[in-house]
Amino acid sequence: MMKAFTLTFLLLAGMALCAIAQNISSFNPGELWLDTDGKHINAHGGGILLHQGKYYWFGEHKVEGRQGNSAMVGVSCYSSADLLNWKNEGIALKVADENSGSEIEKGSIIERPKVIYNKRTKKFVMWFHLELKGKGYDAARTAVAVSDKVTGPYTYLKSFRPNAGEWPQNFKEEWKHKTVQEKDMKAWSQEWKDEVAKGLFIRRDFEKGQMSRDMTVFVDDDGKAYHIHSSEENLTLHLSELSPDYLSFTGKWITIEPAGHNEAPAIFKHKGKYYLITSGCTGWDPNAARSFVAESIWGPWKPLGNPAKGEGAELTFDSQSTYIIPAPGKKDTFIFMADRWRPKNPIDGRYVWLPITFEDDKPVFRWEKSWKLKDSF
């Protein structure tokens, strides 16, 4: 009798949990975010794709313990009609078996996956930051996979360091011929920073390609796509044009905020201007966000300061940017999407989504413990 009662209780409790998960009506930043199966959403460092009226959330699938900072499963995919209630669509990109020789074998590092749709080829294209197994963060590569179906499975194509043999568009001619090297200066001295801004690492990596770590992708109104990533030992952001099929780089690129030490780029377009939100570089620890604006995607990019306002803004409310989402049904409104990293137990990482407003033509977001789309813009 007691056993039957216990089973019945557990069944009812599970059904109640699922019912709660399936009827989320507000965003609750930093709290457990349950999917329609009643499990915490496992899509870290992710991005959102809106396709045929439905939202798809792609992110890093984490596991328990410190090994969870490596790719042990792959890239998750969830779907939603309202950005609140998410259905687990499974693993969109699976890692390969150990000792398979694949660049994305189990134990490699896959970070910040983003998916865009190519209307011309009718392919879904996934870009992500890849570090090869057993090499720490030395590889600093970008990687691409493709699928005929939004939820996958995605087929891994290749990884590489971008823009080998190509100078940035906003690079001065005299900088190409400088001979100063890292060994000639003290790291982090003002002289060293000045030389980084003048291409110290760009020249170093010119032949083999530029480093690519934290990244995002962006499709403009004309269908052209761009890849933005942290490069030059995380000191400078690079913005590169993707080929018409979105599967490679054209060789046209610029630097943004040279030697500024930015990562975690998230980009959006508002009333004809381009806005970029980034973070500083403090490992897994949060720091103050930064923001930039440009009239053209090719710059020049102007710094706007910290977009976070209020108590907790100096640490971006204990989070780090990953993507900017246009708010559904709200013209010229956006949602700031960020992660709270928990490197000791990555699967328990939390999500911080907050509404973006504009003040004096600058993007701004403030902490809200709970908020709804209809009330926050």
Side-chain angles (χ1 to χ4, degrees), residues 50-357:
L50 175 61
H51 182 70
Q52 296 183 348
K54 185 177 285 189
Y55 294 94
Y56 295 89
W57 181 355
F58 298 88
E60 306 160 24
H61 185 284
K62 300 292 191 182
V63 299
E64 293 185 0
R66 288 189 178 275
Q67 69 171 351
N69 293 312
S70 298
M72 309 304 288
V73 179
V75 175
S76 301
C77 176
Y78 292 79
S79 66
S80 173
D82 61 4
L83 290 177
L84 284 164
N85 298 277
W86 293 91
K87 175 186 176 183
N88 187 351
E89 298 285 356
I91 303 301
L93 175 69
K94 294 182 179 180
V95 297
D97 294 336
E98 287 186 281
N99 303 317
S100 65
S102 170
E103 291 183 333
I104 61 165
E105 74 173 59
K106 187 176 182 180
S108 61
I109 296 174
I110 291 175
E111 294 182 339
R112 297 182 178 266
K114 307 291 186 291
V115 174
I116 50 180
Y117 178 65
N118 191 301
K119 293 180 180 179
R120 186 175 66 85
T121 64
K122 301 189 185 312
K123 300 284 188 181
F124 297 92
V125 181
M126 178 188 294
W127 285 93
F128 54 94
H129 165 212
L130 175 67
E131 297 292 347
L132 305 178
K133 183 178 180 180
K135 296 184 181 296
Y137 277 79
D138 290 341
R141 301 169 76 90
T142 192
V144 61
V146 67
S147 176
D148 293 321
K149 184 180 177 183
V150 61
T151 56
Y154 283 74
T155 300
Y156 177 69
L157 299 181
K158 59 187 175 182
S159 77
F160 57 96
R161 283 194 170 188
N163 299 314
E166 302 285 352
W167 296 109
Q169 301 284 304
N170 57 345
F171 202 70
K172 292 183 179 181
E173 183 65 28
E174 60 264 32
W175 295 349
K176 299 177 184 178
H177 310 291
K178 291 177 72 68
T179 57
V180 63
Q181 298 180 29
E182 295 170 72
K183 63 181 178 61
D184 300 327
M185 294 163 292
K186 181 180 179 181
W188 300 106
S189 66
Q190 188 58 52
E191 179 191 17
W192 180 86
K193 291 179 181 179
D194 291 343
E195 288 300 331
V196 169
K198 296 176 182 178
L200 179 68
F201 292 121
I202 290 175
R203 291 189 301 273
R204 181 196 70 182
D205 296 335
F206 183 74
E207 296 295 337
K208 63 182 177 181
Q210 303 298 321
M211 304 175 81
S212 180
R213 289 184 178 141
D214 279 11
M215 53 73 60
T216 192
V217 288
F218 172 73
V219 179
D220 209 342
D221 301 330
D222 59 3
K224 287 188 176 181
Y226 303 88
H227 186 291
I228 302 102
H229 56 275
S230 186
S231 190
E232 302 175 44
E233 308 290 353
N234 287 10
L235 285 159
T236 303
L237 291 171
H238 291 184
L239 183 149
S240 305
E241 183 181 67
L242 291 177
S243 58
D245 61 7
Y246 301 171
L247 298 179
S248 61
F249 287 54
T250 66
K252 184 178 181 181
W253 65 287
I254 61 168
T255 59
I256 299 176
E257 196 70 1
H261 223 197
N262 286 277
E263 63 179 14
I267 187 172
F268 66 106
K269 192 175 183 179
H270 173 69
K271 295 184 177 180
K273 294 182 180 181
Y274 300 86
Y275 293 88
L276 185 64
I277 294 178
T278 71
S279 82
C281 300
T282 50
W284 295 108
D285 297 324
N287 54 60
R290 295 96 175 267
S291 60
F292 304 85
V293 64
E295 299 282 347
S296 164
I297 199 162
W298 296 112
W301 287 84
K302 173 187 174 183
L304 296 176
N306 188 352
K309 303 297 179 184
E311 186 178 354
E314 72 282 357
L315 295 179
T316 318
F317 313 117
D318 195 26
S319 71
Q320 185 186 43
S321 51
T322 186
Y323 204 71
I324 307 294
I325 315 163
K330 304 275 187 176
K331 185 179 180 181
D332 294 326
T333 55
F334 301 87
I335 300 170
F336 173 72
M337 180 175 167
D339 284 84
R340 280 185 177 173
W341 301 108
R342 295 190 171 174
K344 293 182 179 179
N345 191 29
I347 196 172
D348 191 36
R350 306 297 176 87
Y351 311 106
V352 172
W353 291 20
L354 294 168
I356 293 175
T357 56

Side-chain angles (χ1 to χ4, degrees), residues 1-21:
M1 179 71 72
M2 181 59 69
K3 183 177 182 181
F5 174 80
T6 301
L7 290 173
T8 301
F9 174 80
L10 291 174
L11 178 60
L12 291 173
M15 291 173 63
L17 184 61
C18 287
I20 293 171

